[in-house]
Amino acid sequence: GESHDQIEHHRIQVSLLQEFVAQGKEIAIGMEMFEKSNQPILDRWSQGFMAEDEFLKETKWDLTWRMDDNLYRGILNEAKKHRLKLIGLNVQRDLVRKVAEQGIEGLSSEDRATLPEMDLSDRAHRAYVRSIYKDHQEGSARDFERFYQAQCLWDEGMAQTLSEFLRLPESREKGVFVFAGSGHVVFDF
């Protein structure tokens, strides 16, 4: 897990990518920073078919991620340079926002049908998320239960996308680096 705003974390990630490529390892990169719906754009980037400004615009970087793109430039350039598969792990932010605002029960049947399987009963995970809730009360989630549901959607959605990728024939021989915030992987949740 990374701290998104720490350049040193990203330098380490780039070093790891370079080392594995130098060893001839087949790797892919799963990134929290991109929605699953961005996959066609990520594929075009990795194949060298896009300029950086076009890539950032089409992935709506400034809207969906809002971090300085310079922090991730090295990772993205390594993916492009070596034609490494990039995997957009995240669910659509609009869906996470809807859950934070309305809860799962407030979603349309169409939206509910897109949800991954979610375990909302893990007491240790719930306690951890409650400990960070106070820092997020200014957002769209006005009560803890909806905030918790949104966090579980985020985590389980990324896990589901990664699981789907790992079951593809093209991924059988690949190792996958997953770049996500530490809050998504802390305590092996």
Side-chain angles (χ1 to χ4, degrees):
E2 68 178 42
S3 292
H4 302 308
D5 62 352
Q6 297 298 308
I7 190 66
E8 195 56 39
H9 289 196
H10 304 299
R11 288 181 181 141
I12 292 167
Q13 292 165 335
V14 170
S15 293
L16 287 169
L17 291 173
Q18 291 170 334
E19 181 63 29
F20 274 70
V21 168
Q23 291 178 19
K25 308 270 187 189
E26 292 283 325
I27 59 172
I29 307 167
M31 296 185 76
E32 171 192 5
M33 303 78 210
F34 299 104
E35 295 177 356
K36 183 178 180 178
S37 62
N38 287 154
Q39 197 57 56
I41 303 164
L42 297 173
D43 291 341
R44 287 196 333 261
W45 169 264
S46 291
Q47 293 304 310
F49 297 136
M50 298 183 83
E52 183 177 319
D53 59 339
E54 178 186 17
F55 174 74
L56 295 173
K57 181 179 178 185
E58 286 196 32
T59 58
K60 300 178 185 163
W61 181 271
D62 289 333
L63 180 66
T64 59
W65 194 242
R66 298 188 206 146
M67 296 296 267
D68 182 356
D69 58 276
N70 290 309
L71 293 166
Y72 294 90
R73 182 167 284 123
I75 296 165
L76 295 171
N77 286 341
E78 285 299 310
K80 189 175 192 177
K81 177 180 177 182
H82 299 288
R83 304 237 189 284
L84 303 175
K85 177 76 173 179
L86 284 174
I87 308 157
L89 294 177
N90 229 324
V91 296
Q92 289 183 288
R93 304 256 177 197
D94 286 346
L95 185 58
V96 175
R97 181 189 43 75
K98 283 182 190 177
V99 169
E101 291 173 352
Q102 305 166 22
I104 292 171
E105 64 283 351
L107 296 178
S108 68
S109 57
E110 294 82 20
D111 282 342
R112 276 196 306 276
T114 67
L115 297 177
E117 182 179 324
M118 297 192 310
D119 178 4
L120 302 173
S121 65
D122 185 318
R123 295 171 77 176
H125 183 253
R126 186 176 281 272
Y128 167 72
V129 173
R130 187 173 293 282
S131 75
I132 65 169
Y133 174 61
K134 66 183 180 309
D135 296 328
H136 292 82
Q137 287 179 305
E138 301 301 318
S140 55
R142 297 292 176 212
D143 68 49
F144 175 74
E145 192 57 35
R146 290 176 181 173
F147 179 78
Y148 186 66
Q149 290 174 0
Q151 290 299 306
C152 287
L153 170 58
W154 203 337
D155 293 343
E156 299 289 356
M158 289 192 293
Q160 178 179 304
T161 301
L162 180 59
S163 176
E164 290 167 357
F165 174 75
L166 291 172
R167 284 183 262 152
L168 294 173
E170 71 181 80
S171 68
R172 290 207 178 124
E173 300 299 319
K174 289 187 171 149
V176 180
F177 282 91
V178 175
F179 297 147
S182 59
H184 297 290
V185 297
V186 68
F187 306 120
D188 292 331
F189 292 130

